[in-house]
């Protein structure tokens, strides 16, 4: 399979966003950014909640080694059964990574972003990482390049990052206090020796902050990831958010700790709990007072492929690449068509949102002080209510209030329907449908409505019994418009005077 050069076919999108009064949705989370930064990130699926419905990303696993140990991490290789950072099915050489990227770009034209995020730390594997970026810059110049790092080696490689035109960097910063850091990081490997305890944490923190300052001074965009660990750094992350904003980070992604014992992490084996969805949202809301918060992160595998929330990596395993027959000329032409169409949709949507609204066209406002409502949405992408309840592996959660509609997060679940004429048969791996519904109901705690394209009789009844109203009346409608319509219906029916019975509001 000859390797083509992908031409620069993705045009830059203009600014925009929802900021006019009465538009029905909350202001754009990126609206505060300067125009030149906003132009770089508004169509980036990992940074823009709007764009992630349309554009896809991929990670290539070329960086196996790591220079620190985290109590929440357990890297696994040749593993297709877990979806979390540090997990890969195949380690790749730079040449293999390029071959895979070009095959994905030809097959999934929505793919616009390539990141290296592991399974170890990319900057602990600098030769493999930067050789991959070098070839990508040459052969696929239209693909945005990103790197994620723990920051320990970051200062020494800022020049190299800038040289390869990598203008998006993510740093995982979990604390600013070495005492807290010693509870998160057992050791670091620094200057040819293993260092432990508070000394190790202090070195890591210093390098992270130095790297952040160096990147922002060069105009390289920095997103900060933080893992929320209840009882360890949860309260402290408010201070982290203030400091990294002051130093120039444009986005903060507070992620929940993944601590199931079966993953084999130290925290998992020691019984450290993960935060609840309500706790995570509360912390994100508190940090949001200081900087823009990312709420659509899926904590992707180190070899993820596709739209956020899906993983098509198995389609592009090494043993399948040679068998692929791709007409690259046709594929690249199709890629340009898809990019142009998506950019057109997004620009039209932003123009509608920014357009002045006549007073006569505004709906009757919902009184200030009316309680907010959380609604879960089954969506297969494109920002639409377009998925069957039983086909959802996650639900997007939105909050409707008199101020509008805002995205607050997502809740993972399991397939209730695995085929056949109706849902309700045993789920994946023989798990009973009743058990899956029980877990789904637990995952949807705090939500009062579920919007989906279709839903079967059995889950409908179980949801209603749990105080969650199923709604299939807004299939194929834009999510924000559908959520707002249901909220207005609830207000008109007098359902917003007091909290819904049996529901715990976040």
């Amino acid at each position: 399979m000859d390797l083509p050069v992908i031409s620069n076919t993705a045009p830059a999108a203009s600014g925009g966003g929802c900021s006019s009064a009465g538009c029905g949705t909350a202001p754009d989370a990126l609206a505060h950014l300067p125009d030149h930064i906003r132009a770089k990130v508004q169509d980036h699926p990992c940074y823009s909640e709007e764009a992630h419905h349309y554009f896809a990303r991929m990670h290539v696993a070329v960086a196996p080694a790591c220079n620190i140990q985290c109590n929440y991490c357990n890297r696994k290789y040749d593993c297709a059964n877990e979806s979390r950072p540090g997990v890969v099915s195949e380690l790749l050489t730079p040449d293999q990574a390029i071959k895979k990227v070009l095959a994905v770009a030809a097959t999934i034209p929505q793919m616009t972003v390539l990141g290296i995020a592991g399974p170890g730390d990319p900057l602990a594997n600098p030769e493999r990482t930067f050789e991959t970026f070098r070839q990508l810059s040459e052969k696929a110049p239209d693909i945005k390049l990103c790197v994620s790092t723990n920051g320990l080696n970051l200062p020494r490689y800022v020049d190299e990052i800038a040289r390869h035109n990598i203008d998006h960097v993510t740093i995982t910063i979990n604390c600013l206090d070495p005492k807290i850091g010693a509870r998160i990081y057992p050791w670091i490997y620094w200057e040819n020796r293993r260092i432990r305890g508070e000394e190790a944490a202090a070195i890591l923190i210093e390098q992270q902050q130095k790297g952040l300052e160096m990147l922002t001074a060069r105009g390289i965009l920095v997103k900060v990831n933080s893992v929320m660990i209840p009882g360890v750094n949860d309260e402290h992350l408010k201070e982290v958010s203030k400091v990294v904003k002051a130093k120039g980070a444009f986005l903060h992604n507070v992620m929940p700790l993944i601590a199931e014992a079966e993953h084999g992490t130290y925290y998992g084996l020691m019984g450290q709990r993960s935060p609840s969805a309500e706790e995570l949202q509360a912390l994100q809301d508190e940090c949001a007072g200081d900087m823009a918060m990312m709420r659509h992160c899926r904590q992707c595998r180190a070899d993820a492929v596709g739209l956020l929330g899906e993983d098509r990596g198995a389609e592009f395993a090494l043993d399948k690449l040679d068998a692929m027959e791709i007409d690259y000329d046709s594929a690249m032409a199709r890629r340009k068509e898809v990019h142009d169409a998506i950019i057109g949709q997004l620009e039209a949507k932003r123009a509608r949102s920014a357009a002045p609204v006549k007073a006569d066209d505004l709906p009757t406002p919902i009184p200030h002080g009316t309680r907010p409502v959380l609604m879960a949405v089954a969506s297969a992408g494109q920002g639409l209510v377009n998925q069957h309840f039983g086909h959802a592996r996650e639900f997007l959660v939105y909050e409707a209030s008199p101020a509008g509609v805002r995205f607050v997060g997502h809740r993972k679940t399991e397939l209730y329907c695995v085929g056949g004429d109706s849902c309700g048969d045993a789920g994946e791996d023989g798990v009973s449908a009743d058990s899956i519904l029980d877990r789904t109901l637990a995952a949807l705690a705090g939500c009062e409505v579920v919007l989906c394209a279709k839903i079967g009789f059995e889950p409908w009844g179980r949801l209603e019994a749990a105080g969650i109203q199923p709604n299939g009346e807004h299939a194929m409608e834009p999510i924000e418009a559908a959520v707002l319509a249901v909220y207005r219906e609830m207000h008109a029916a007098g359902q917003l005077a007091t909290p819904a019975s049996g529901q715990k509001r976040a």
Side-chain angles (χ1 to χ4, degrees):
M1 182 172 65
D2 294 332
L3 299 183
V5 173
I6 301 177
S7 61
N8 190 352
T9 57
S14 61
C18 180
S19 57
S20 58
C23 67
T25 59
D28 188 339
L30 302 178
H32 70 289
L33 297 174
D35 289 345
H36 72 284
I37 294 179
R38 183 187 175 88
K40 289 184 177 182
V41 301
Q42 67 178 356
D43 296 323
H44 194 302
C46 300
Y47 299 148
S48 166
E49 194 280 323
E50 177 185 54
H52 96 270
H53 294 293
Y54 299 88
F55 287 116
R57 88 302 186 217
M58 75 174 292
H59 294 165
V60 288
V62 298
C66 197
N67 49 6
I68 73 173
Q69 178 60 54
C70 305
N71 282 333
Y72 53 75
C73 180
N74 181 26
R75 286 171 288 145
K76 291 187 178 180
Y77 307 97
D78 193 23
C79 177
N81 300 317
E82 295 181 22
S83 182
R84 58 180 179 83
V87 175
V88 298
S89 293
E90 296 175 317
L91 289 171
L92 305 177
T93 66
D95 289 345
Q96 290 170 332
I98 301 307
K99 192 172 186 178
K100 181 173 181 177
V101 170
L102 296 177
V104 171
T107 308
I108 305 177
Q110 306 97 311
M111 194 276 285
T112 59
V113 172
L114 185 285
I116 300 178
D121 187 83
L123 302 185
N125 304 260
E127 294 83 5
R128 296 168 65 96
T129 294
F130 290 115
E131 174 60 17
T132 303
F133 282 136
R134 185 194 66 76
Q135 291 194 42
L136 281 169
S137 296
E138 176 185 321
K139 296 177 179 177
D142 76 316
I143 296 177
K144 298 181 179 72
L145 303 180
C146 306
V147 64
S148 297
T149 177
N150 59 44
L152 183 60
N153 281 347
L154 180 56
R156 69 182 62 169
Y157 290 114
V158 168
D159 288 345
E160 192 75 6
I161 288 170
R163 187 175 300 118
H164 289 279
N165 199 31
I166 301 164
D167 55 9
H168 301 80
V169 175
T170 295
I171 313 171
T172 298
I173 301 177
N174 293 314
C175 62
L176 304 171
D177 183 343
K179 290 185 171 61
I180 294 175
R183 301 174 62 188
I184 301 172
Y185 310 107
W187 54 261
I188 68 171
Y189 193 76
W190 177 246
E191 296 184 344
N192 298 315
R193 65 190 184 100
R194 197 178 304 275
I195 304 173
R196 302 180 184 275
E198 291 183 27
E199 180 187 2
I203 293 170
L204 176 60
I205 292 166
E206 179 183 10
Q207 292 297 107
Q208 290 171 336
Q209 297 302 309
K210 183 179 179 181
L212 169 57
E213 293 168 358
M214 292 173 67
L215 287 170
T216 56
R218 288 175 172 267
I220 296 172
L221 300 182
V222 179
K223 171 172 69 77
V224 169
N225 282 353
S226 299
V227 179
M228 179 185 178
I229 310 165
V232 177
N233 71 342
D234 43 353
E235 290 299 316
H236 180 60
L237 286 179
K238 301 170 194 175
E239 178 65 18
V240 171
S241 195
K242 292 178 182 177
V243 170
V244 299
K245 178 187 179 182
K247 293 187 176 182
F250 81 97
L251 192 64
H252 194 190
N253 175 25
V254 177
M255 308 177 292
L257 172 71
I258 299 174
E260 288 80 3
E262 59 266 25
H263 297 322
T265 67
Y266 174 84
Y267 278 147
L269 296 175
M270 296 303 293
Q272 168 66 50
R273 73 175 181 87
S274 301
S276 67
E278 292 88 351
E279 289 172 328
L280 178 65
Q281 182 186 333
L283 178 58
Q284 290 173 333
D285 287 347
E286 290 190 73
C287 292
D290 294 304
M291 70 184 307
M293 297 299 298
M294 178 176 176
R295 299 176 187 263
H296 61 283
C297 175
R298 299 307 195 273
Q299 294 174 278
C300 301
R301 290 167 56 99
D303 57 1
V305 176
L307 294 167
L308 291 188
E310 73 173 7
D311 189 359
R312 297 177 58 181
E315 299 176 31
F316 302 94
L318 290 176
D319 61 356
K320 296 180 180 179
L321 292 182
D322 287 334
M324 289 184 175
E325 295 183 3
I326 299 173
D327 180 341
Y328 277 101
D329 289 339
S330 297
M332 295 308 115
R334 173 60 178 160
R335 182 173 168 81
K336 175 173 169 47
E337 291 175 1
V338 170
H339 282 209
D340 289 350
I342 292 175
I343 292 294
Q345 291 178 48
L346 289 172
E347 288 183 338
K349 181 180 179 182
R350 291 164 184 153
R352 289 193 299 270
S353 297
V357 180
K358 296 180 181 178
D360 292 344
D361 295 334
L362 290 172
T364 302
I366 294 177
H368 179 72
T370 303
R371 70 178 180 85
V373 172
L374 292 183
M375 302 189 196
V377 180
S379 175
Q382 291 77 54
L384 303 175
V385 182
N386 60 356
Q387 192 170 45
H388 193 299
F389 176 88
H391 296 166
R393 292 185 181 272
E394 68 172 9
F395 289 89
L396 307 181
V397 178
Y398 290 77
E399 180 189 76
S401 73
V405 176
R406 69 181 183 119
F407 177 76
V408 298
H410 61 96
R411 311 279 180 88
K412 293 183 179 179
T413 185
E414 301 168 66
L415 284 179
Y416 175 68
C417 179
V418 295
D421 295 332
S422 62
C423 292
D425 297 328
E428 295 178 301
D429 301 322
V431 179
S432 72
D434 284 343
S435 295
I436 291 175
L437 272 181
D438 288 341
R439 297 175 192 174
T440 300
L441 291 173
L444 296 179
C447 298
E448 298 182 34
V449 179
V450 170
L451 286 84
C452 52
K454 291 180 67 177
I455 184 171
F457 177 80
E458 175 64 23
W460 184 293
R462 290 286 302 278
L463 286 166
E464 281 193 326
I468 304 173
Q469 182 59 49
N471 187 308
E473 299 300 315
H474 296 274
M476 303 310 297
E477 293 182 12
I479 292 173
E480 291 89 347
V483 169
L484 187 63
V486 173
Y487 188 63
R488 291 191 174 280
E489 292 165 8
M490 294 176 71
H491 178 259
Q495 298 174 354
L496 304 181
T498 57
S501 176
Q503 287 296 314
K504 178 183 177 182
R505 285 173 43 216

